[in-house]
Each structure stands twice: as C-alpha cells, then as structure tokens.
Amino acid sequence: EIVITASRARSYLLISDESGQALFDGQIAQGEEKIYSSTSKLTLKVGNAGAIDLKVNGKTVPPIGTSGQVVTVTYGLDS
C-alpha cells in the first residue's frame, strides 16, 4: 500500500500499475491524500517531489526529491 500526501504544496501525480495502466493522472491539492495498493508494484511520477510525503507498506519513505523536481519511483510488495 502507498499513501501519498501533498503536505507542502500541490503536485502533478501519475500512478500506474505493473501493466502500465494509469490509476491516477492529475493534480493532487495541498493537504490531499491518495491511497493505492497493488498485488505487485506501483510506479509514481511526481511533478513536485518536494511537496509530497510517502508511506509505503506502513513505513515513512525519506523525501524522494526537492521542490519542483520531477521524479519517478517504483515500489513493490517488498519495498
């Protein structure tokens, strides 16, 4: 399970599953939270990496980037 929270600002977010199917493609507003789960892996493309906080499988993830940075990350069941 991945919990994405736009804690510091809004951000563009693309979430896709293992087959490349987009589960979400759009803006996430500051203060908004999205929760996704998968049986294998999820890929996130974040348009403002410094704006979001992530929890993966119940664990807080260190920041994936800085304000305005575009970052793509993939998390699986063992992440």
Side-chain angles (χ1 to χ4, degrees), residues 2-78:
I2 297 178
V3 179
I4 305 123
T5 307
S7 300
R8 288 167 290 287
R10 70 182 173 90
S11 179
Y12 167 76
L13 186 60
L14 171 63
I15 302 170
S16 51
D17 64 15
E18 62 277 359
S19 69
Q21 176 73 34
L23 305 176
F24 180 82
D25 184 1
Q27 294 282 326
I28 180 172
Q30 183 174 357
E32 191 175 354
E33 181 176 276
K34 301 257 181 216
I35 301 172
Y36 291 90
S37 59
S38 171
T39 55
S40 60
K41 68 178 183 174
L42 291 170
T43 299
L44 285 67
K45 182 176 183 179
V46 182
N48 184 4
I52 65 157
D53 291 322
L54 293 176
K55 277 190 180 179
V56 178
N57 299 326
K59 294 179 246 170
T60 300
V61 175
I64 60 168
T66 59
S67 181
Q69 185 178 15
V70 178
V71 175
T72 301
V73 291
T74 300
Y75 295 104
L77 292 176
D78 58 353

